[in-house]
Amino acid sequence: MSQSFLAADSRVAPADAPLSPAARRWLRQRGVAVTRARAIPGDASGRRYWRLPGDLIFMDAPPPEDILPFLRVQRRFARAALPVPRVLAAQVVPGFVLLEDLGTVDLKAVLDAGMDVDRWMRRAMVLIRDLQWAGQRQGMLPPLPFFSAARLQEELTLFIDWYLGGHLGLTLDPHRGRALRTLFDVLLKNATTQAQVWVHRDFHARNLICQEAATLVMIDFQDAVRGPWTYDLVSLLWDRYWDWGRARRDAWALDFLAMVHPGIAPPRRPADFLVSVGRMALQRNLKILGVFCRLAYRDGKIAYLDFLPRFWAYVWEALGDDPQLLSYQALFAPWAPPLPGR
């Protein structure tokens, strides 16, 4: 997960984050002025960004970062007429990319301002639908990587390794380990038996740039895959910044169900659809608990721990809302995140 580089605060570059001499040469060779480069504060990735004159963004992604996934997905999405920023120049080694600057207004800023939340959320869901349908019509475009059961399992393992182990300092005994694996099997079956479509994989408010006429443009799509058709929906509805509440999330989810293309073949009964969405959300939110702990303890980004209570509440709610999973609350109850000061 990485911060929206086109929507981030454009503060003046700190003294310790100038453009490198190699970056300056590369940009000058392409006729780009570098005298007023302004650093954009980074977040979860090793990529760094600058805002340049002429409505340009420069990305510097030194090893071990790899810009090829970003470039490959951008090419697929652009050829499918999906809204993504234009790549104006790129060089794989040393990892330089010049992009159009789409501005500083992301969906989070719009929703924070209370600007017709339902309208903007519906527009985001329409974009998910368009992304999915584009993937079904991809024709001769190279396929995206498959979001296999093994990869989904790796995401769930982050919860064990980094939330339970890294954050709580726990080692699972055999009984609890078996119980958790049984739950994971239910979640994996739910994900892998869904229609498989193009998935952004980090479809949230900071990765959607608002343009005129309620148009949204996707960024940070380098991890896109072919995977479960509810994955991006739950990324949008179970957000780190706002807890919309079950009733509102269910209403939006049913709106999404009503607008789906016939070729996706969703569950026939709305109740079955909501169960599937809830289990997909549980899978993703368990992963996020692990990812945020990894960012905190491995990468020193301690601020991510502030989000743990919200995602824990999402997990607890998902277990309680699903009659087949309700019994797992007894397993999870001792694992609640410690309160501040404990």
Side-chain angles (χ1 to χ4, degrees):
M1 296 183 182
S2 56
Q3 183 182 17
S4 161
F5 62 87
L6 297 177
D9 173 25
S10 301
R11 293 174 290 186
V12 176
D16 61 349
L19 287 167
S20 69
R24 289 178 175 275
R25 286 194 300 271
W26 188 84
L27 289 166
R28 288 196 185 103
Q29 289 169 0
R30 285 149 184 83
V32 178
V34 297
T35 53
R36 289 187 290 124
R38 294 181 297 171
I40 302 174
D43 191 15
S45 79
R47 298 180 297 274
R48 294 175 294 173
Y49 302 94
W50 285 262
R51 185 163 268 116
L52 304 174
D55 295 326
L56 300 173
I57 293 286
F58 173 67
M59 172 170 46
D60 183 358
E65 295 291 326
D66 182 4
I67 65 171
L68 271 176
F70 174 85
L71 296 175
R72 287 168 175 162
V73 176
Q74 190 278 342
R75 180 172 175 80
R76 287 178 179 88
F77 285 4
R79 288 182 62 184
L82 292 166
V84 292
R86 290 181 297 137
V87 173
L88 306 175
Q91 186 170 332
V92 174
V93 179
F96 293 159
V97 184
L98 188 65
L99 300 146
E100 67 171 325
D101 184 356
L102 299 175
T104 61
V105 181
D106 60 20
L107 184 58
K108 180 182 183 299
V110 168
L111 298 182
D112 280 344
M115 297 172 60
D116 200 345
V117 171
D118 285 309
R119 173 173 175 255
W120 281 102
M121 291 294 282
R122 180 174 177 81
R123 183 68 198 111
M125 291 189 292
V126 168
L127 180 52
I128 295 173
R129 181 199 65 183
D130 293 346
L131 171 64
Q132 295 178 347
W133 192 236
Q136 303 303 91
R137 299 181 292 106
Q138 63 180 306
M140 298 302 294
L141 293 176
L144 289 176
F146 183 54
F147 207 8
S148 65
R151 293 186 68 181
L152 288 159
Q153 177 64 58
E154 289 174 3
E155 289 195 343
L156 289 168
T157 301
L158 293 171
F159 173 77
I160 298 174
D161 293 345
W162 288 97
Y163 181 80
L164 296 181
H167 183 57
L168 299 182
L170 299 177
T171 300
L172 289 177
D173 61 58
H175 173 72
R176 289 182 174 84
R178 284 192 299 270
L180 197 56
R181 286 193 295 272
T182 300
L183 172 62
F184 288 177
D185 287 344
V186 173
L187 302 183
L188 293 173
K189 181 178 180 181
N190 175 69
T192 56
T193 56
Q194 293 183 25
Q196 303 295 295
V197 299
W198 276 1
V199 175
H200 180 291
R201 206 177 169 194
D202 205 11
F203 196 94
H204 64 76
R206 294 304 305 272
N207 285 341
L208 299 170
I209 305 301
C210 300
Q211 303 285 278
E212 294 180 0
T215 299
L216 293 172
V217 181
M218 296 180 288
I219 61 172
D220 281 0
F221 42 71
Q222 59 277 347
D223 294 325
V225 292
R226 185 170 181 82
W229 83 290
T230 61
Y231 196 93
D232 282 344
L233 178 66
V234 305
S235 300
L236 176 69
L237 300 186
W238 278 261
D239 195 274
R240 75 178 74 173
Y241 301 108
W242 318 275
D243 182 352
W244 299 111
R246 179 186 177 187
R248 203 168 192 185
R249 285 195 301 268
D250 283 356
W252 281 328
L254 293 176
D255 287 345
F256 181 76
L257 178 63
M259 70 176 67
V260 68
H261 281 283
I264 302 298
R268 295 179 180 180
R269 296 176 61 243
D272 293 337
F273 171 68
L274 291 178
V275 168
S276 182
V277 169
R279 292 181 181 183
M280 190 78 261
L282 179 56
Q283 187 275 342
R284 187 173 188 274
N285 291 328
L286 287 170
K287 177 201 79 168
I288 289 175
L289 286 171
V291 168
F292 285 0
C293 289
R294 183 175 65 182
L295 286 167
Y297 298 116
R298 187 192 69 182
D299 302 334
K301 299 174 180 179
I302 301 300
Y304 278 95
L305 297 180
D306 294 340
F307 293 113
L308 296 187
R310 170 155 293 164
F311 283 93
W312 177 263
Y314 289 157
V315 166
W316 189 256
E317 180 185 60
L319 294 172
D321 288 344
D322 190 324
Q324 295 183 42
L325 304 183
L326 178 59
S327 63
Y328 284 97
Q329 283 191 334
L331 174 67
F332 276 72
W335 301 338
L339 296 174
R342 284 174 54 181

